[in-house]
Amino acid sequence: MLDCDKIVTLVRHVSAADGDVYPCTIIPGCSWQATDGDNLGEGGEAPGSGYVVHIPEERVPDILPAPGDFMALGAVQAVAGRKDLLGLQHFRVAKVADNRKGVFLRHVKVVGM
């Protein structure tokens, strides 16, 4: 897969009885693309700026991104709340496509705004 030279961080929001936690999973070797909204696919995403991340099959973490998670550009070690993502290029995950069943360019595609 071309241009897979970025480090991204998957940030999951987990609600717990004693407070929310935000576990971080750093994923090297991904592509990160900002879009103008026209290339987000046919899944009904609203026009506007958005992001597309491709995670090559060999880099897919044990925990797949899911709608509602966050993706941040760069290595993020710890997050105590969404405010910790301010100042970082990041987005909320809207859609995830697992494309690891094909023959070529097996990857997971993450789309968000």
Side-chain angles (χ1 to χ4, degrees), residues 15-89:
S15 295
D18 57 346
D20 295 349
V21 294
Y22 294 84
C24 297
T25 303
I26 297 170
I27 311 167
C30 299
S31 73
W32 175 282
Q33 302 166 341
T35 70
D36 61 7
D38 294 334
N39 301 323
L40 290 179
E42 301 173 9
E45 297 90 357
S49 60
Y51 297 91
V52 177
V53 171
H54 291 95
I55 307 170
E57 179 180 40
E58 64 274 8
R59 303 288 188 180
V60 174
D62 293 336
I63 299 172
L64 284 179
D69 289 344
F70 297 97
M71 296 288 290
L73 182 60
V76 178
Q77 300 296 328
V79 173
R82 181 144 189 215
K83 65 179 176 5
D84 291 342
L85 295 173
L86 296 176
L88 299 175
Q89 194 171 4

Side-chain angles (χ1 to χ4, degrees), residues 2 7 12 19 24 27 35 55 61 63 72 80 91 93 95 105 110 112:
L2 298 175
I7 296 172
R12 173 147 292 156
C24 297
I27 311 167
T35 70
I55 307 170
I63 299 172
F91 65 90
V93 175
K95 181 178 174 184
L105 300 174
V110 183

